[in-house]
Amino acid sequence: MKLKYHNLSKTSTLKIITACLLCFIAIGSFAQDKTKTIGNKARKGSTNTSFTAVKGAQVGVMINAGHKHVELLKLNFHADNRAGDSIAFKVNIYQMNGKLPSDTNLVKEEIKGIIKKNNTEEHQLVSVDLSAYKINVSGDILVSIEFLTTKNGSYIGFACGLFNGGTFHKDANSSEWKKIPVVGADFNVLVKKLK
């Protein structure tokens, strides 16, 4: 069966062209919403490192966000909380300045999360939604959590992997950043690619 194009009216032709343009626009908008996960591999981990929850102390990892800007959507990590109560924290993002993070926090609003009390041997998945905060980054960043309260005798273990960049930590607000080499906590972030 052959289609006779000369029988199409100008109105029909315009409708077809308009429909095609709308399809290209829709496909282009889907392409803008491409997501990927950056950071360390998620694991429930046999290898772990632990920290005491002290107000102002931070734990984090360096993540390469790539050369082009991405928007941070969700932070994920596995943790084991053997404290007597849940542990509150906030999320901080710093641009790396050589081997250490800069002093400027890229998060302008407080983004809170909770590591629930955990009585099992399994690490629990902790997720924090970052999508409402429009945090756009590129290059090397440090993604950290900062404990909001002090819990004496607390034991917060993070699932870790070997040879994945190490773990950064500060023991208090006024402390300097230190790096545990070789062993890196499994922090990873779902991001959306931007133009």
Side-chain angles (χ1 to χ4, degrees):
M1 184 170 120
K2 293 182 179 178
L3 179 63
K4 295 182 179 179
Y5 292 101
H6 64 276
N7 286 340
L8 293 174
S9 68
K10 288 183 181 180
T11 306
S12 297
T13 304
L14 284 174
K15 286 181 182 178
I16 291 170
I17 292 171
T18 302
C20 289
L21 287 174
L22 290 174
C23 287
F24 285 123
I25 291 169
I27 290 168
S29 68
F30 286 133
Q32 292 175 3
D33 287 354
K34 285 186 180 176
T35 59
K36 65 177 183 175
T37 300
I38 60 174
N40 292 336
K41 179 181 176 182
R43 61 188 92 217
K44 294 183 182 176
S46 55
T47 304
N48 69 63
T49 188
S50 63
F51 297 88
T52 302
V54 175
K55 185 175 182 178
Q58 296 187 55
V59 178
V61 300
M62 186 182 80
I63 297 175
N64 184 334
H67 297 296
K68 295 183 178 179
H69 276 84
V70 293
E71 182 180 340
L72 307 183
L73 300 179
K74 185 189 287 187
L75 167 64
N76 296 299
F77 59 91
H78 285 86
D80 180 19
N81 176 8
R82 297 293 178 84
D85 199 359
S86 294
I87 303 292
F89 66 86
K90 69 175 185 173
V91 177
N92 297 322
I93 311 288
Y94 305 96
Q95 198 73 49
M96 290 299 290
N97 185 13
K99 293 184 179 182
L100 294 172
S102 68
D103 293 331
T104 306
N105 190 353
L106 300 176
V107 177
K108 302 306 177 197
E109 299 177 58
E110 194 167 81
I111 306 172
K112 292 183 180 179
I114 295 283
I115 303 173
K116 295 179 182 175
K117 179 182 173 183
N118 187 12
N119 292 323
T120 69
E121 296 294 322
E122 295 273 326
H123 287 84
Q124 60 180 300
L125 175 64
V126 180
S127 294
V128 182
D129 187 359
L130 308 174
S131 61
Y133 301 94
K134 303 297 181 196
I135 306 165
N136 298 338
V137 299
S138 65
D140 290 332
I141 58 172
L142 182 84
V143 179
S144 76
I145 64 166
E146 178 181 339
F147 299 116
L148 295 176
T149 56
T150 298
K151 300 281 185 181
N152 292 327
S154 61
Y155 162 86
I156 310 299
F158 293 92
C160 295
L162 295 174
F163 308 111
N164 61 0
T167 301
F168 287 82
H169 67 96
K170 284 177 82 166
D171 298 328
N173 247 339
S174 57
S175 299
E176 297 292 321
W177 284 103
K178 295 179 183 175
K179 183 180 178 183
I180 300 169
V182 182
V183 178
D186 78 344
F187 287 36
N188 58 74
V189 183
L190 178 68
V191 301
K192 179 169 73 173
K193 296 179 183 179
L194 301 174
K195 284 185 175 181

